[in-house]
Amino acid sequence: MKKTRAISGLAIAAVGALALAGCSSDDSSGGGDDGGKEKLTIGISQLVQHPALDAATEGFKQTFLDAGYVEGDTIEFDVQNANGEQSTAVTIAQGFASQDLDMVLAVATPAAQAAAQAITDIPVLFTAVTDAESAELVDSNEEPGANITGTSDAAPIGDQLDLLSQIVPDASSIGIVYSSGEVNSEVQVKAAEEAAGERDMTVETQTVTTANDIAQAVQALGDVDAIYVPTDNTVVSGIASLIQVAEKKQIPVIGAESGTVEGGAIATLGIDYTELGKQTGEMALKILTEDADPATMPVEVSKEFTYVVNPGAAERMGVTIPEEILDKAETVE
């Protein structure tokens, strides 16, 4: 994979209300002198395993290693995965609430909702949450108001639909499959419908409850011109099923993040989840080492987006990626 080229300065209405405050650390590896650091123990609840969430978790951990913490010595990460089950996320959160932890990181909206309900006496950070207000995690993005704050992965949906139009110029109907149980997905679908309407496109939707429903849902979309995959944890974790049907029906697929492209979508203009995780880690360091208060720390959003394309997927779906996009993009196969 060649080096990512960041695309900055996008005017993104969907996330304009959120504070743009984060920064990321350098990429030096952890280890070395601990500088007399007090040992920290952080619980991490990740909703499900897929590339975007995995990257966010690793980016968060890397921030502490870059700051001089040594895993197993001055910092411990208790990483638990809910395997896409909300009930398991609740159990994980309740377990963390009974432990002597310094902080909890929740990765993805359902995991964050479970943590917010169960944990009230230590700081909780979230990442990969699309809209913290709609998920009722914070009083407001500017003033969270309690012990929880974090980073949003709200995607530049309008720009992503413009990218879709460049790749599939005649597309007028867009299909979206999403989980009926994820608030973050409902927010994205609404934003996609608004953005599509502004571009004289229509949106057809199908909902799923588990990854096993994805193939049937794609079939039920009918003869749409393209499929847009939001940052829906259920669908992304089962992206292979969606791609299989889309390739058979020759329906181009655009993703909201790079992991979906690695999984077989054609392209995205999306968030670097490793950097988003690092940004969340920087917030954590401020809370744990500088006595920053989560209640007054605004929810942050990513400031950089990257083009990622999969030429092989484009060929299998019967479309050609324009050269002007290839020239700007990171390529995956």
Side-chain angles (χ1 to χ4, degrees):
M1 187 181 292
K2 66 185 182 182
K3 186 177 180 181
T4 298
R5 301 180 184 180
I7 311 297
S8 302
L10 296 174
I12 305 166
V15 297
L18 299 177
L20 300 173
C23 61
S24 61
S25 58
D26 63 42
D27 292 324
S28 59
S29 60
D33 184 6
D34 64 27
K37 289 178 170 57
E38 183 177 350
K39 185 171 183 178
L40 299 173
T41 304
I42 298 177
I44 300 178
S45 174
Q46 183 173 314
L47 178 66
V48 68
Q49 186 172 9
H50 65 66
L53 301 190
D54 293 347
T57 295
E58 290 305 312
F60 178 85
K61 293 167 63 177
Q62 188 62 46
T63 303
F64 285 88
L65 304 183
D66 290 344
Y69 287 87
V70 179
E71 191 167 0
D73 183 3
T74 52
I75 193 163
E76 291 282 357
F77 298 107
D78 182 358
V79 182
Q80 299 195 31
N81 194 299
N83 296 313
E85 297 291 335
Q86 179 67 35
S87 59
T88 305
V90 170
T91 300
I92 292 170
Q94 291 171 341
F96 282 162
S98 68
Q99 298 177 35
D100 185 20
L101 301 176
D102 295 291
M103 171 178 282
V104 167
L105 171 71
V107 187
T109 301
Q113 290 172 317
Q117 287 292 320
I119 302 163
T120 59
D121 58 347
I122 62 170
V124 175
L125 283 180
F126 56 76
T127 191
V129 167
T130 301
D131 189 332
E133 288 185 11
S134 295
E136 299 183 348
L137 294 172
V138 296
D139 292 342
S140 73
N141 291 312
E142 295 77 19
E143 293 281 343
N147 65 316
I148 182 167
T149 187
T151 57
S152 166
D153 65 349
I157 292 175
D159 296 283
Q160 291 172 341
L161 293 188
D162 290 340
L163 174 63
L164 186 154
S165 293
Q166 288 180 270
I167 296 172
V168 192
D170 296 330
S172 61
S173 59
I174 311 300
I176 301 177
V177 175
Y178 69 101
S179 170
S180 57
E182 294 190 35
V183 173
N184 54 299
S185 299
E186 294 175 356
V187 170
Q188 291 175 83
V189 170
K190 182 178 179 180
E193 289 173 338
E194 292 175 357
E198 294 168 356
R199 292 160 175 79
D200 296 322
M201 297 175 173
T202 60
V203 172
E204 302 292 332
T205 64
Q206 290 290 324
T207 60
V208 298
T209 55
T210 72
N212 294 330
D213 304 328
I214 293 172
Q216 182 178 353
V218 177
Q219 291 284 5
L221 287 173
D223 295 325
V224 292
D225 298 318
I227 293 173
Y228 172 72
V229 182
T231 55
D232 180 290
N233 296 292
T234 301
V235 176
V236 173
S237 67
I239 192 63
S241 296
L242 185 150
I243 296 299
Q244 184 177 29
V245 178
E247 288 182 353
K248 184 176 181 180
K249 298 182 71 173
Q250 291 287 277
I251 303 174
V253 179
I254 301 297
E257 50 84 29
S258 61
T260 304
V261 180
E262 292 173 5
I266 293 172
T268 190
L269 174 62
I271 288 171
D272 184 326
Y273 276 82
T274 300
E275 291 302 315
L276 190 69
K278 289 182 179 181
Q279 186 172 332
T280 316
E282 294 288 351
M283 296 177 73
L285 285 171
K286 291 176 183 177
I287 293 168
L288 294 171
T289 67
E290 301 176 20
D291 294 325
D293 183 359
T296 58
M297 295 180 72
V299 176
E300 299 182 7
V301 297
S302 178
K303 294 185 290 185
E304 295 187 344
F305 300 87
T306 57
Y307 280 118
V308 181
V309 298
N310 187 330
E315 182 178 354
R316 290 188 293 273
M317 293 175 189
V319 298
T320 301
I321 301 172
E323 285 296 328
E324 58 267 28
I325 294 175
L326 289 173
D327 289 343
K328 299 176 183 177
E330 174 187 357
T331 299
V332 300
E333 294 291 346

